Amino acid sequence: MLKGKGVSKGIGIGHTKVLKTEEIKITDFKVEDKENELKFFKECLKNVMEETMKVTEKLSGTEADIMNAYLMILQDPTLTSETERLITEEGYNAGYATKVGFEAVEEMFRNMDDEYMSARASDIQDMKQKVLNKITNKAELDLTNLPENTILVSKDLSTSDTAKLNLKSIAGIIIEHGSENSHVSIMARTHEIPAIVGAKGIIKELQDDEYIAMDGSTGEIFVNPSQEEIDKLKKIQDDLKAQKNDLSKFIKRKSITKDGYKTEVVANIGSPKDMDAVIANGAEGIGLFRSEFLYMDSDAMPTEEEQFEAYKEVLEKAEGKRVIVRTLDIGGDKDLKYMKLDKEENPFLGYRAIRICLREPEIFKVQIRALLRASYYGKLAIMLPMISSVEEIRKAKEIINEVKEELKSKKVKFDKNVKVGIMIEIPSAAIMAEELAKECDFFSIGTNDLIQYTVAVERGNEKISDLYTKFHPAVIRLIKMAINGAHKSKIFCGMCGEAASDERYIPILVGLGLDEFSMNPTKMLSARKMIRSLSHKECKKIAQEVLKMNSATEIKSKMEEYIKNMEK
Ligand code: PEP
Ligand code: MG
């Protein structure tokens, strides 16, 4: 049995199509007519661009976004500047100049710290291949006509090749390289196609048309599987299907416990495009719109108009359900290239989120104006990230009021009662919850940051990730303080950190009285199912017991045991 890393769950059974990419041999020589050579290169590039645009036009949603990002790189002058220099200044032939020029850019991407950006190196490699195909007049692979139940096996699958696939005929994808963040992995998850990456040596091992089976969760690959193996995998496939069917029952149901305790299961989003998944999974609203993604997806600060359109689109699609938009939460692990923030020793403890907005109100005011104008189109709430003190809420509200006055004087319509809440993601905010609750309309607990600041473990540090745990008694006590603080002032308290969707944690949160659970849309239905199977009375008892415990390991085992017993 071969093995890789499962990145998109599901079972794939079918026949292989192995894509073996041949290296094009490129020789270097000098040309007489540099101008003509440059023209030839530009024509080849233009052809690639036009073909890519044609593919992109047929796409929508995530695929279209991915291809548009690909096109943006393809149109960026920095991609071709070295190639053009090699032709015009040094007189090299277009083929050699393309190879060397594109490889320099590929190397630059590969060395970027940001995992997503470094995964884009394979896009550049793909673009180079396509331009070289044009230069050497080589035909491209046809991926549009694959037979049904094809298991596609490839060294890497470029963004543009992925976009060309007829997904209906694909039963699974196996990639020799790749990562969880590769576009092919993202696409596979979006379309629920089983996928495995990092299957080392797979290209050498397999030929076309071999019968294989794969498990997209475990990363297992079975060549010529036995009947016994097939039966086992089909059983897993049936179970997954049954699970999905079972969950679809919960789309329109309320998020209420067996004994009538009402909560809400709402969605975390990063863009208006996520609204399809939000609606398909029956969200009761949006608990967190991470607005910084609008800023991160752009080459410059998004204008008031661009932001207004994005917020309005989400509000209209939410059809009157509450949409909580978090104001710019940049800094820490989220960088804005065009903002040129200074390098800091400890960025997580540094210049970020509300700290930037209060010191650079001209940036904050643009966003607040866009938000207030959009508030006219639905039930909008504004959430302030990284609040650590009452002064910060007061100062932010002062700015919000200034913008309100400005809009009033210009007779611009907006919701005068728009709610303003805060994230509880810094321990000082949880400790001061009672006081902070008097200054705002709601809380949402951000456990992703709250955990890191409580136990002093950076959230992305793999080496000490065992210490980063939501089961730490100090974290649970801070959550309790936040919820109690909110309830004392009769405001609601939600949670939008990852912990809100963990079934081992939900009983504790219900027991502590959390009002709203906000999470990735794909997780909402199982969370709602879980809440509906709980008794609030029993959860209160569990929360009390957990609060008396002093070890994360014990709390975690207790909750795992509880879930196991529930399943019986
Ligand atoms: C959090 O910190 O829990 C949170 C939801 O915000 P982010 O993950 O965007 O920092
Ligand atoms: Mg956070």
Side-chain angles (χ1 to χ4, degrees), residues 290 326 329 334 352 385-386 423 425 446 448-450 459:
R290 287 183 163 100
R326 178 173 75 186
D329 183 15
K334 298 176 203 143
R352 57 172 298 196
M386 290 291 293
M423 298 263 318
E425 52 186 342
N448 306 344
D449 276 315
L450 185 64
R459 60 198 264 186

Short mmCIF file of all heavy atoms in Angstrom, two decimals, residues 290 326 329 334 352 385-386 423 425 446 448-450 459, ligand 2:
data_model
loop_
_atom_site.label_atom_id
_atom_site.label_comp_id
_atom_site.label_asym_id
_atom_site.label_seq_id
_atom_site.Cartn_x
_atom_site.Cartn_y
_atom_site.Cartn_z
N ARG A 290 -14.50 38.37 8.66
CA ARG A 290 -13.13 38.86 8.85
C ARG A 290 -12.83 39.86 7.73
O ARG A 290 -12.35 39.49 6.66
CB ARG A 290 -12.14 37.70 8.76
CG ARG A 290 -12.15 36.77 9.98
CD ARG A 290 -11.08 35.69 9.81
NE ARG A 290 -10.76 35.03 11.05
CZ ARG A 290 -11.25 33.84 11.41
NH1 ARG A 290 -12.07 33.19 10.65
NH2 ARG A 290 -10.88 33.29 12.58
N ARG A 326 -16.26 42.35 11.58
CA ARG A 326 -15.16 42.77 12.44
C ARG A 326 -14.31 43.79 11.69
O ARG A 326 -13.98 43.58 10.52
CB ARG A 326 -14.31 41.56 12.81
CG ARG A 326 -13.11 41.92 13.66
CD ARG A 326 -12.40 40.71 14.14
NE ARG A 326 -11.63 40.08 13.08
CZ ARG A 326 -10.99 38.93 13.22
NH1 ARG A 326 -11.04 38.27 14.37
NH2 ARG A 326 -10.30 38.41 12.24
N ASP A 329 -8.48 43.70 11.22
CA ASP A 329 -7.67 43.00 12.22
C ASP A 329 -6.36 42.57 11.56
O ASP A 329 -6.12 41.41 11.29
CB ASP A 329 -8.43 41.77 12.75
CG ASP A 329 -7.67 41.04 13.85
OD1 ASP A 329 -6.71 41.61 14.40
OD2 ASP A 329 -8.03 39.89 14.16
N LYS A 334 -1.09 38.43 10.22
CA LYS A 334 -1.72 38.89 8.97
C LYS A 334 -1.06 40.17 8.50
O LYS A 334 -1.17 41.20 9.16
CB LYS A 334 -3.22 39.13 9.21
CG LYS A 334 -3.97 37.88 9.61
CD LYS A 334 -5.41 38.24 9.93
CE LYS A 334 -6.06 37.23 10.85
NZ LYS A 334 -6.97 37.85 11.79
N ARG A 352 -1.13 46.18 16.00
CA ARG A 352 -2.09 45.39 15.22
C ARG A 352 -3.53 45.79 15.53
O ARG A 352 -3.80 46.45 16.53
CB ARG A 352 -1.89 43.89 15.44
CG ARG A 352 -1.98 43.41 16.86
CD ARG A 352 -1.96 41.88 16.97
NE ARG A 352 -3.09 41.28 16.28
CZ ARG A 352 -3.50 40.02 16.46
NH1 ARG A 352 -2.86 39.23 17.28
NH2 ARG A 352 -4.54 39.56 15.83
N PRO A 385 -11.82 44.28 17.13
CA PRO A 385 -10.91 43.20 17.53
C PRO A 385 -9.85 43.67 18.53
O PRO A 385 -9.54 44.87 18.60
CB PRO A 385 -10.24 42.81 16.20
CG PRO A 385 -10.21 44.09 15.42
CD PRO A 385 -11.41 44.92 15.85
N MET A 386 -9.27 42.73 19.27
CA MET A 386 -8.10 42.98 20.12
C MET A 386 -8.29 44.09 21.14
O MET A 386 -7.35 44.84 21.44
CB MET A 386 -6.89 43.33 19.23
CG MET A 386 -6.36 42.18 18.42
SD MET A 386 -5.58 40.93 19.43
CE MET A 386 -4.16 41.79 20.02
N MET A 423 -14.43 41.86 20.49
CA MET A 423 -13.88 40.51 20.62
C MET A 423 -13.28 40.40 22.01
O MET A 423 -12.62 41.33 22.47
CB MET A 423 -12.74 40.28 19.61
CG MET A 423 -13.11 40.38 18.19
SD MET A 423 -13.45 38.83 17.36
CE MET A 423 -12.27 37.67 17.89
N GLU A 425 -10.50 38.47 23.28
CA GLU A 425 -9.42 37.57 22.83
C GLU A 425 -8.10 37.89 23.53
O GLU A 425 -7.06 37.33 23.19
CB GLU A 425 -9.27 37.62 21.31
CG GLU A 425 -9.14 38.99 20.71
CD GLU A 425 -9.13 38.98 19.17
OE1 GLU A 425 -8.90 37.93 18.57
OE2 GLU A 425 -9.35 40.06 18.59
N GLY A 446 -12.80 35.22 21.06
CA GLY A 446 -11.88 34.72 20.02
C GLY A 446 -10.88 33.80 20.68
O GLY A 446 -9.81 34.23 21.13
N ASN A 448 -8.95 31.61 19.43
CA ASN A 448 -7.66 31.40 18.73
C ASN A 448 -6.57 32.27 19.35
O ASN A 448 -5.46 31.83 19.59
CB ASN A 448 -7.79 31.73 17.24
CG ASN A 448 -8.93 30.99 16.58
OD1 ASN A 448 -9.43 30.02 17.14
ND2 ASN A 448 -9.35 31.43 15.41
N ASP A 449 -6.92 33.53 19.60
CA ASP A 449 -5.95 34.42 20.23
C ASP A 449 -5.99 34.31 21.76
O ASP A 449 -4.95 34.35 22.41
CB ASP A 449 -6.22 35.88 19.83
CG ASP A 449 -5.56 36.20 18.49
OD1 ASP A 449 -4.40 35.81 18.30
OD2 ASP A 449 -6.22 36.80 17.63
N LEU A 450 -7.19 34.15 22.31
CA LEU A 450 -7.28 34.09 23.78
C LEU A 450 -6.38 32.98 24.35
O LEU A 450 -5.70 33.18 25.36
CB LEU A 450 -8.74 33.88 24.22
CG LEU A 450 -8.97 33.92 25.73
CD1 LEU A 450 -8.64 35.28 26.31
CD2 LEU A 450 -10.41 33.54 26.10
N ARG A 459 0.15 30.88 18.41
CA ARG A 459 -0.85 29.96 17.85
C ARG A 459 -0.36 29.10 16.69
O ARG A 459 -0.89 28.03 16.46
CB ARG A 459 -2.14 30.72 17.48
CG ARG A 459 -1.96 31.80 16.46
CD ARG A 459 -3.13 32.77 16.48
NE ARG A 459 -4.14 32.47 15.46
CZ ARG A 459 -5.19 33.24 15.20
NH1 ARG A 459 -5.38 34.35 15.90
NH2 ARG A 459 -6.04 32.92 14.28
MG MG B 2 -8.12 36.95 16.82
#
